[in-house]
Amino acid sequence: MSLEFDHITLGQRVRFGTGEAAANLAAEVDQRGARSVMVIAEAREAELARRVTADIDVALHHSDVAMHVPVETADRARAAARDNGIDLLVSIGGGSTTGLAKAIALTTGLPIVAVPTTYAGSEATNVWGLTEAARKTTGVDDRVLPATVIYDAELTYSLPADLSVASGLNGLAHCVDSLWAPRADPINAALATEGMRTLAGGLPKVVADPSGAEGREQALYGAYLSAVSFASAGAAMHHKICHVLGGTYDLPHAQTHAIVLPHVLAHNAPAAPEAAARIAGALGTGDAVSGLVQLRDRLRAPTALREIGFAEENIGEAAELSVAAIPSSNPCPVTTDDIRALLGNAWAGTAPEVSR
């Protein structure tokens, strides 16, 4: 990788402490002098949100959250923020919740304090996404970057092990994509490598002991590193495919990433030997693709798109939409037939096919 590059580091505060979310949030709200706080959390996480916000005054609780942030959902949230004179957004939850806060910030400029309860990583990026008419649109805008992230491993204890695995592999996908994304550079490669190493070490501990702090802390830390590298490097082949699958066919975000990632890696690895070596080293194996498959199998992660609602007859359309979005920086050329074959394997759950 060339040492001639142009790297931008995003400004963000991180407060990390197990069992300290409520105290850290109160300190952040006080430091900012916020007078009218809007708390965004799904209804199923209402009790968790109540605990986290116990030490602050909340002007508005908002629970109208939907996966992939439909435009209609965003518009309702924006109106609620405007009508209540909100001056600070607090998102408590996973990627959908953070994504809704970003949608509000995109048009209002309101600051966000993000309190993640999964390993989605959206809290550490300036990337937004909205879905309209079965098409997901993404963009980059510094207004949506949360000003502060509050990490607390205790908040992830309620996330079942299988969802923890899928969410963690989504973080791993951020790392992998960062190595050949349009703005890949040595700094985000270093962050991505450490993120992979930490996630690969932490996720098996989460599976073995879902209520243990060590694995959860490592997974959160790894997810943060993965998101920082992704925010710098940009979205590459893997994420472009998954945005099509999620936005067009409403597939669950984390599981889609976990299923597709080994197939994208198998396609790109032969054309990106340096990136493949980094991935293999971070996973502690001699080969990137087999190492990722072994980790996936060890974690009992999902392997087939057909099992999460993707219909086989949609493979052709999805391939055409995906290939049009894949950036030219991809390590090797990508055709519609390539993506059709890749999605066919991902749909069936067969082993990834390494490109020749």
Side-chain angles (χ1 to χ4, degrees):
M1 184 173 293
S2 171
L3 286 180
E4 181 178 337
F5 59 90
D6 183 357
H7 179 88
I8 297 175
T9 299
L10 300 176
Q12 183 181 67
R13 180 171 189 164
V14 175
R15 294 177 181 259
F16 201 115
T18 299
E20 298 297 326
N24 281 334
L25 177 59
E28 190 66 25
V29 171
D30 181 66
Q31 184 176 2
R32 292 185 169 277
R35 298 177 180 274
S36 187
V37 178
M38 177 179 181
V39 174
I40 304 168
E42 292 186 60
R44 62 185 177 84
E45 294 198 297
E47 175 57 26
L48 183 149
R50 186 196 63 77
R51 296 200 313 268
V52 173
T53 61
D55 298 332
I56 67 171
D57 293 326
V58 178
L60 176 65
H61 286 276
H62 188 86
S63 61
D64 181 12
V65 177
M67 189 170 57
H68 304 301
V69 195
V71 167
E72 300 81 5
T73 303
D75 287 342
R76 289 192 294 270
R78 289 162 175 166
R82 181 188 63 243
D83 294 346
N84 287 272
I86 299 301
D87 61 4
L88 179 66
L89 305 170
V90 174
S91 63
I92 304 173
S96 298
T97 304
T98 309
L100 182 58
K102 287 182 170 184
I104 300 171
L106 182 65
T107 58
T108 66
L110 289 172
I112 303 170
V113 175
V115 187
T117 61
T118 72
Y119 312 118
S122 176
E123 68 278 356
T125 79
N126 57 353
V127 179
W128 57 268
L130 292 167
T131 301
E132 184 174 20
R135 294 292 184 269
K136 186 169 185 176
T137 300
T138 62
V140 176
D141 194 306
D142 286 350
R143 288 177 296 178
V144 308
L145 177 72
T148 299
V149 184
I150 294 174
Y151 287 111
D152 183 341
E154 284 189 358
L155 304 184
T156 68
Y157 288 171
S158 61
L159 188 67
D162 60 338
L163 291 180
S164 297
V165 164
S167 183
L169 290 176
N170 178 22
L172 198 69
H174 288 133
C175 296
V176 171
D177 241 11
S178 296
L179 298 179
W180 46 57
R183 299 185 304 278
D185 67 42
I187 296 176
N188 49 53
L191 292 168
T193 303
E194 179 64 7
M196 287 186 285
R197 188 193 66 78
T198 307
L199 283 164
L203 289 174
K205 295 177 183 177
V206 172
V207 172
D209 183 13
S211 61
E214 183 181 0
R216 297 284 185 176
E217 287 177 343
Q218 288 184 7
L220 272 180
Y221 175 55
Y224 169 72
L225 293 174
S226 75
V228 173
S229 63
F230 177 73
S232 174
M237 177 177 170
H238 171 83
H239 279 79
K240 294 303 184 181
I241 294 173
C242 289
H243 286 163
V244 168
L245 295 175
T248 306
Y249 309 103
D250 200 32
L251 300 186
H253 184 81
Q255 292 90 332
T256 300
H257 280 269
I259 293 167
V260 171
L261 180 60
H263 300 278
V264 173
L265 177 58
H267 180 86
N268 277 350
E274 182 177 343
R278 278 184 174 271
I279 296 165
L283 298 179
T285 64
D287 176 76
V289 177
S290 61
L292 179 58
V293 170
Q294 290 168 15
L295 176 64
R296 181 193 66 180
D297 293 347
R298 179 183 178 190
L299 297 174
R300 299 188 295 278
T303 60
L305 290 174
R306 60 185 171 82
E307 295 177 352
I308 61 170
F310 184 59
E312 186 176 16
E313 58 264 28
N314 290 327
I315 289 176
E317 179 189 44
E320 292 179 0
L321 293 171
S322 297
V323 77
I326 294 170
S328 59
S329 62
N330 197 66
C332 59
V334 183
T335 67
T336 303
D337 286 343
D338 291 333
I339 304 301
R340 189 179 292 113
L342 185 156
L343 290 176
N345 289 332
W347 177 84
T350 57
E353 292 185 4
V354 178
S355 299
R356 300 299 177 187

